[in-house]
Amino acid sequence: MRTIPRSIQILSAQLAFTCIIFPATTSLANDSLVIEGSDGWVTKLESQKGLEVVDDFILPSGKEGALRTKVLTTDTKKKPSSVTITQSPVWQNWNPIDNLGPVNLGDAPVFLRVGPQNYWIFGRYKGDKPRNSRSQNASSTPAFTPEPATLDGFEIPLQTTPFPNQYNAPGGLMPPLGGYHAWQSRDMINWVHHGPITEKFSAWMTTAEFADGKAYFYYDFPNDQDPHVYVDDNLFDGLPGDHKGMAYDDPTHGSDCGIIRDLDGRFHLIVEDWSPINARTHAWDSPLAAHAVSDDGVSDFRTLAPPVDERTKSTGKIGTYEHPHWVKEHPERFKTNVAEFEIHEPEQNAFGDWAAICVGGQYYLFCDYDPVDTKQMSVGWFTSSSLDQQFTFCDHVGNGHPDPDIMFAEGQFYLVTQQNSDFVSPGPWVETVEARAGVDTNNDGTIDQWSDWQEVKETYDYVTGFAKQVSKTPAQLDLSSLPEGYGFQLEVKLTDSTDNKSKPMIKSLELSFE
């Protein structure tokens, strides 16, 4: 089931009123209390103003809203410790920015965070030609003479390039090999070119990971088939690493895979599966994704249940299409460009070119989104609390064929695409949320002491040893200053302070005790 919260019907018509008053108290039996779900937002609130419940989340119907819980009572005194506020994982908090990375990076960009202030982007190398420029005569291009340069964070010789904020390292002066190249940044502004990382036959690179000091570069060979991998322990030498060959003998057509390591260190491939669709007429994407896992990221990938399955009804009929690259690029393995697919009706939305990240245990898959209704492509994304469960569609952003990738860098999340703009987000948390708590100290049913109002938010950080795992510190209200009591009450104010379509959408409130 797709989850686009703005489009789902309000679950409780009562909460559409300007202000609702409910019975004032409810008993508290456990060491913590969680308020969540459409029933919880009705039965455990004393009042609310300017809010609505959508798909079990409570959010402002306009720009602002506020709520007050009932007084939560207990037979014995309890000492409150904290309130934890959790928001929806839908992650609509994206803002457009100018294209990221070097201006002469071509084709589908790939991101990789190796560590703090150690960010990499990979793409095909366009030399002295910007990525969006049209063909021009060499004589019309002004001559450029490189000069020595220095840059904070780089203790190697550098040279200037024709482009601002871009430099060549020694590896960047190595001859191009027709594949992907590497650029490194310490600040997401200045980029240093380190040269080739793949070759011409491995030019269809789709994703990358990093583990134990080595980069894993995955590419399709031929295009849209069978993920292959390089393992590279030196990103600075301008030479491809150890070519391991085929990593996953994909039983389907499609590939365009994304890779992510879980916290146990296992490598998970998310792969396009074209078996239920004529991918040629759907931007080479599909409603179905395959999932395979390996301990070492190089071999012995085991196929698991699909993480994304948006298929419609099968007709039982078989259709065919042709791919332009298979026989030309790999005639030893592919004797025909013709592939079969199972026809489904009605026509299906399609997704692909997968990229993955995990934020505080919540997994996200970013992708091409090719919808049936408009045929206007954009970046879509799905989410799940587990790689072993079905992912739920969240939303989409942008315009054009994206081939996206995502990276956490400099305290923000960067979404890079082939579109005319890229995107940045502070994270799934949406501002602004303010809260306070009160205590009934003498058991007379009224609040005697309130905490100060505090703005709360989630924060994010690197997970050491992982490129695509991001830790999350929950949004919490510290109640250590409050005394013990017999009753407790919470007040929360929500303000939509973003310029994008996101709103603070509260999933749950949890009151905890010492």
Side-chain angles (χ1 to χ4, degrees):
M1 174 180 172
R2 293 191 179 164
T3 306
I4 306 179
R6 302 277 175 100
S7 66
I8 299 177
Q9 183 178 2
I10 297 174
L11 299 178
S12 173
Q14 289 176 302
L15 291 180
F17 299 143
T18 301
C19 186
I20 304 100
I21 306 296
F22 300 101
T25 63
T26 187
S27 61
L28 177 65
N30 301 319
D31 290 334
S32 67
L33 175 81
V34 178
I35 302 174
E36 64 182 351
S38 56
D39 181 66
W41 297 125
V42 172
T43 62
K44 291 185 173 66
L45 296 191
E46 177 185 299
S47 65
Q48 71 86 15
K49 183 178 181 180
L51 301 176
E52 61 186 12
V53 173
V54 179
D55 195 33
D56 286 343
F57 306 108
I58 193 164
L59 64 152
S61 53
K63 295 294 289 186
E64 296 180 347
L67 65 84
R68 174 181 285 184
T69 70
K70 296 177 181 180
V71 177
L72 313 171
T73 62
T74 180
D75 293 333
T76 59
K77 275 191 171 183
K78 291 181 179 291
K79 178 76 166 76
S81 61
S82 65
V83 174
T84 302
I85 302 178
T86 304
Q87 288 194 9
S88 161
V90 70
W91 203 352
Q92 295 172 306
N93 195 13
W94 291 98
N95 298 302
I97 56 174
D98 292 337
N99 283 129
L100 295 161
V103 300
N104 58 342
L105 177 150
D107 208 30
V110 173
F111 264 154
L112 188 63
R113 178 180 56 80
V114 172
Q117 295 186 310
N118 194 359
Y119 316 119
W120 294 76
I121 193 169
F122 310 98
R124 295 195 193 182
Y125 182 55
K126 300 192 71 176
D128 291 344
K129 182 180 176 182
R131 73 176 80 170
N132 294 322
S133 67
R134 297 182 180 275
S135 297
Q136 53 185 327
N137 295 327
S139 59
S140 66
T141 303
F144 176 81
T145 302
E147 297 180 356
T150 59
L151 186 63
D152 286 347
F154 293 88
E155 304 300 327
I156 55 178
L158 300 178
Q159 290 185 0
T160 58
T161 73
F163 310 112
N165 304 316
Q166 290 186 216
Y167 305 87
N168 276 321
L173 303 177
M174 297 290 284
L177 301 175
Y180 266 54
H181 282 226
W183 288 263
Q184 182 188 19
S185 178
R186 301 293 189 187
D187 56 11
M188 297 296 291
I189 298 172
N190 296 287
W191 294 92
V192 172
H193 178 220
H194 290 290
I197 56 163
T198 70
E199 301 155 82
K200 186 174 182 179
F201 71 85
S202 47
W204 300 109
M205 185 171 151
T206 66
T207 188
E209 251 291 10
F210 195 82
D212 301 322
K214 299 176 182 179
Y216 293 70
F217 297 124
Y218 295 85
Y219 70 94
D220 287 353
F221 182 67
N223 187 21
D224 297 322
Q225 292 282 4
D226 301 327
H228 292 57
V229 63
Y230 286 88
V231 179
D232 199 333
D233 63 1
N234 186 348
L235 298 180
F236 306 95
D237 60 5
L239 299 171
D242 186 6
H243 185 231
K244 300 292 188 180
M246 187 186 298
Y248 180 48
D249 187 355
D250 185 3
T252 74
H253 301 302
S255 190
D256 276 333
C257 67
I259 191 77
I260 187 170
R261 292 170 66 224
D262 63 28
L263 289 176
D264 294 323
R266 296 176 299 176
F267 292 73
H268 294 260
L269 278 175
I270 309 298
V271 181
E272 293 175 13
D273 182 344
W274 291 354
S275 60
I277 196 170
N278 182 345
R280 188 184 184 101
T281 60
H282 292 80
W284 302 107
D285 293 321
S286 173
L288 185 65
H291 178 195
V293 63
S294 165
D295 292 333
D296 63 9
V298 172
S299 61
D300 298 325
F301 274 93
R302 306 176 298 281
T303 304
L304 305 178
V308 173
D309 188 350
E310 297 280 317
R311 288 175 291 183
T312 57
K313 186 176 181 180
S314 172
T315 65
K317 300 177 182 178
I318 301 298
T320 62
Y321 60 88
E322 289 190 10
H323 193 285
H325 292 281
W326 295 341
V327 174
K328 178 177 67 175
E329 293 181 3
H330 198 359
E332 295 83 2
R333 181 170 173 82
F334 290 89
K335 305 304 180 184
T336 178
N337 287 324
V338 177
E340 295 183 343
F341 70 99
E342 190 175 19
I343 299 173
H344 286 64
E345 293 180 350
E347 191 176 358
Q348 302 165 112
N349 294 332
F351 313 91
D353 293 307
W354 296 103
I357 198 168
C358 185
V359 183
Q362 188 76 23
Y363 283 88
Y364 292 89
L365 298 176
F366 288 80
C367 60
D368 291 352
Y369 173 41
D370 184 25
V372 169
D373 53 354
T374 67
K375 291 294 184 182
Q376 179 59 61
M377 293 187 71
S378 57
V379 180
W381 62 96
F382 292 76
T383 191
S384 174
S385 60
S386 171
L387 284 166
D388 297 322
Q389 297 175 358
Q390 278 278 314
F391 281 65
T392 302
F393 185 76
C394 295
D395 205 351
H396 66 103
V397 68
N399 211 331
H401 192 155
D403 263 4
D405 207 353
I406 184 169
M407 178 172 63
F408 180 65
E410 299 297 284
Q412 300 192 93
F413 294 86
Y414 290 91
L415 183 60
V416 65
T417 73
Q418 294 183 139
Q419 300 169 346
N420 291 329
S421 69
D422 295 328
F423 302 90
V424 67
S425 170
W429 182 267
V430 181
E431 295 179 322
T432 301
V433 179
E434 300 168 280
R436 70 172 185 167
V439 179
D440 171 13
T441 59
N442 55 17
N443 205 19
D444 66 355
T446 60
I447 298 300
D448 305 305
Q449 184 173 336
W450 286 93
S451 70
D452 293 334
W453 282 100
Q454 299 176 38
E455 181 181 346
V456 297
K457 63 175 67 178
E458 293 177 349
T459 58
Y460 311 99
D461 204 350
Y462 308 101
V463 176
T464 302
F466 290 87
K468 301 185 178 186
Q469 294 281 345
V470 180
S471 66
K472 178 178 73 175
T473 300
Q476 287 191 329
L477 179 67
D478 181 9
L479 303 182
S480 59
S481 64
L482 290 179
E484 294 180 334
Y486 294 94
F488 308 90
Q489 195 167 37
L490 308 178
E491 290 187 347
V492 180
K493 293 188 291 188
L494 306 178
T495 304
D496 178 8
S497 55
T498 66
D499 294 327
N500 54 49
K501 68 188 298 184
S502 66
K503 288 187 175 185
M505 301 169 56
I506 304 304
K507 178 182 179 182
S508 66
L509 304 175
E510 181 178 4
L511 174 62
S512 300
F513 301 90
E514 292 181 358

